[in-house]
Amino acid sequence: MIKVDRWEEVKQYQYTKTPGLKRAEELDLVRTFDMKIPVPGTGRTLSIDEIWYNSNHVFFFTSIDVPSGFLGALPNEREVPIVSFVMGLPGDQQDGPGHPLFTLNWEPNEGVIYDGRFYNRATTNPLYKDGMTDILSKVDEIVLRDVSVSIGGQTIPLPDITLPIRFDVRQEVTVSVPLKQELHPMDRTITLESLELGTTVNRLYFRFRSPEPHEQLSHVSFTLHSEAGEVRDSNLSRIETGPNGQHYVEFEPFDKRPAKLELILHSLWLAGDDQIHFSIDSESYDRHLNNETDSYREKVAKHLATIKNTDVYLDELYYDDRGISFSIRYEHQEAEKLPRMHLIVGKPNDAEVGTNRKLPLTVTATNERGEPGEYGQSGSGENTYHMFLGAAFVQASKRIDVTVDRLLYEIAGEWKTACEVPKGE
């Protein structure tokens, strides 16, 4: 929370937290309101100042009075007024489904104090036709239900609020920039086909080609730099599949339509046909648990393989009433080199799910009779990942053979290209 002396600083805070808001305001896609809603028993008023309703999110910019004693200092966390509500359509049943709020990148107790008011933002999803697939392309009005303000442990209910929105998805502006560039990260080819610059989201469309027939692209990290100094990062975004084998990644929108852009590829996450194998003496399971109160940790540190400049170790085994958890650890041989290729960790997937869906880090366990394993909790940390083999399976086995298939790896470096954006809106 910060305290500022100029309204421009409030707006700059909002723009920094909400990429694209500035451009949306200039295009008249943001609705402004001049209403003050009394908060009973407090002497304060709640204001819904602006709403940016778009096809990805609905942003509510709110403000509320803070006591005069806070004008020279910041309130503590319990004293921050927190606004809550559920968004729906007029005519919906009072107890029908609604869209609750979530924080995204702006917490409820975070914001700006200016001229005796606390400025905050709440976020929810746009309204959908049916389920969570197609958004409503036009929304004239919304209703905020279950409205409340919480201050110092007290929650004060407010009446429903109906607001005109006049959202029409056709008003959202998208500029498509054709691209015919290729990037070549370590013998792979990324063919950049087009870039969509929208008021709500940016999308980069591309195709991927590899000399390895079994290699599958999992994640990709791009950065866009505009000539105005704006930077947007895909942050190793999940790759979506578009038409005709295209892929795309999404970026937050720009505040100003760029004239020139530099595109930088930083990283590819890939899965291929690499795998590791090891065996566990499961006969020791009961012995370890009988000798300990509830669990036993065995440091193994056994080198299993060197794959893609990475040493792979069976790091440790952990025994408790859930079964045996194995932990795999990676040590990179060329950690500082660029470009480089090395294995990366992730959450393991059990064979019942991973094999059918061709997921990376698929674990298959069988005992000495060839019976399939039972899998439990899994997870990952810095350079390690782990998975439990179920206690019933472990106790019914003498030896368990484990394979981790489709190991995940990264190509990291820096590959650049640039493009110009056609003039227009």
Side-chain angles (χ1 to χ4, degrees):
M1 186 182 298
I2 62 171
K3 183 175 180 293
V4 300
D5 299 319
R6 297 184 302 120
W7 173 247
E8 290 76 14
E9 294 177 276
V10 177
K11 293 306 297 181
Q12 187 55 52
Y13 191 96
Q14 294 176 344
Y15 294 151
T16 300
K17 286 286 191 179
T18 319
L21 173 63
K22 186 175 184 179
R23 186 169 175 226
E25 287 177 342
E26 293 170 353
L27 293 171
D28 197 29
L29 299 177
V30 178
R31 305 295 168 240
T32 59
F33 303 92
D34 184 16
M35 63 167 60
K36 294 286 193 296
I37 304 159
V39 181
T42 67
R44 309 186 192 201
T45 58
L46 167 67
S47 174
I48 309 291
D49 300 318
E50 280 190 327
I51 300 178
W52 181 21
Y53 190 118
N54 64 54
S55 54
N56 265 20
H57 295 106
V58 185
F59 297 109
F60 296 86
F61 297 90
T62 66
S63 64
I64 189 169
D65 300 281
V66 292
S68 58
F70 293 153
L71 298 185
L74 297 177
N76 64 44
E77 186 171 331
R78 279 181 52 82
E79 295 167 327
V80 175
I82 295 177
V83 180
S84 179
F85 52 82
V86 174
M87 182 185 75
L89 288 171
D92 287 347
Q93 294 183 357
Q94 187 68 27
D95 57 351
H99 278 41
L101 304 177
F102 51 85
T103 57
L104 204 59
N105 65 339
W106 193 331
E107 298 292 334
N109 59 355
E110 179 183 4
V112 183
I113 292 179
Y114 166 72
D115 195 25
R117 294 186 71 80
F118 171 61
Y119 290 83
N120 188 255
R121 189 199 73 197
T123 308
T124 190
N125 290 315
L127 296 163
Y128 292 82
K129 296 178 184 176
D130 184 22
M132 293 291 286
T133 52
D134 297 323
I135 68 163
L136 288 172
S137 59
K138 292 186 69 175
V139 177
D140 293 324
E141 281 188 326
I142 58 171
V143 176
L144 310 185
R145 297 189 174 93
D146 300 327
V147 185
S148 67
V149 175
S150 298
I151 308 171
Q154 180 187 12
T155 299
I156 303 163
L158 300 179
D160 292 353
I161 304 170
T162 300
L163 297 165
I165 290 297
R166 305 191 312 279
F167 166 74
D168 190 332
V169 72
R170 294 173 299 180
Q171 294 176 346
E172 294 188 339
V173 177
T174 300
V175 178
S176 184
V177 183
L179 303 173
K180 296 188 180 298
Q181 292 97 326
E182 287 189 348
L183 303 173
H184 299 280
M186 300 186 77
D187 298 327
R188 281 76 177 166
T189 301
I190 296 283
T191 303
L192 304 174
E193 297 198 333
S194 65
L195 176 64
E196 287 186 355
L197 300 175
T199 52
T200 300
V201 68
N202 297 328
R203 284 182 177 173
L204 176 64
Y205 289 87
F206 64 95
R207 296 180 188 273
F208 172 73
R209 190 167 69 250
S210 170
E212 303 292 335
H214 301 292
E215 194 169 65
Q216 180 180 350
L217 187 60
S218 171
H219 290 71
V220 64
S221 177
F222 277 97
T223 301
L224 301 180
H225 293 257
S226 79
E227 85 290 350
E230 291 190 68
V231 180
R232 297 293 183 264
D233 197 329
S234 67
N235 293 319
L236 281 170
S237 298
R238 184 182 67 175
I239 296 173
E240 305 287 352
T241 301
N244 304 318
Q246 270 188 332
H247 302 296
Y248 68 87
V249 289
E250 294 188 342
F251 302 78
E252 292 176 322
F254 287 112
D255 285 325
K256 178 182 178 181
R257 174 175 168 157
K260 295 181 181 179
L261 285 171
E262 182 181 54
L263 291 77
I264 305 174
L265 170 64
H266 301 283
S267 175
L268 306 175
W269 286 11
L270 307 148
D273 55 4
D274 299 298
Q275 55 183 217
I276 54 174
H277 309 274
F278 57 92
S279 297
I280 299 173
D281 176 13
S282 49
E283 285 189 302
S284 63
Y285 177 69
D286 288 331
R287 183 173 69 253
H288 284 316
L289 289 191
N290 288 335
N291 292 337
E292 299 291 330
T293 56
D294 56 3
S295 64
Y296 177 77
R297 192 179 301 274
E298 178 185 355
K299 190 67 176 179
V300 180
K302 179 182 179 181
H303 186 266
L304 300 178
T306 299
I307 302 170
K308 290 182 168 53
N309 307 304
T310 307
D311 291 315
V312 183
Y313 295 86
L314 175 58
D315 191 42
E316 67 175 27
L317 300 173
Y318 177 78
Y319 304 71
D320 68 13
D321 59 358
R322 293 170 292 177
I324 298 178
S325 173
F326 64 85
S327 176
I328 301 297
R329 175 170 53 89
Y330 291 161
E331 290 186 3
H332 299 137
Q333 297 179 348
E334 299 179 342
E336 304 302 321
K337 180 182 176 182
L338 286 177
R340 67 174 180 269
M341 181 187 298
H342 59 207
L343 297 182
I344 55 176
V345 302
K347 184 178 178 181
N349 299 285
D350 67 66
E352 296 175 5
V353 176
T355 303
N356 294 334
R357 295 173 56 189
K358 294 185 178 181
L359 295 173
L361 296 175
T362 296
V363 176
T364 304
T366 56
N367 63 17
E368 69 281 1
R369 297 184 299 277
E371 296 169 339
E374 298 171 358
Y375 309 95
Q377 181 181 346
S378 64
S380 62
E382 185 177 0
N383 293 327
T384 65
Y385 54 89
H386 58 270
M387 172 178 273
F388 266 97
L389 303 174
F393 170 69
V394 170
Q395 290 175 313
S397 308
K398 294 181 178 180
R399 188 193 75 251
I400 300 174
D401 296 317
V402 180
T403 298
V404 184
D405 197 13
R406 297 181 58 74
L407 299 184
L408 195 61
Y409 51 98
E410 178 185 40
I411 293 175
E414 190 171 88
W415 296 270
K416 298 181 179 181
T417 188
C419 69
E420 293 190 1
V421 179
K423 294 181 179 180
E425 167 291 329

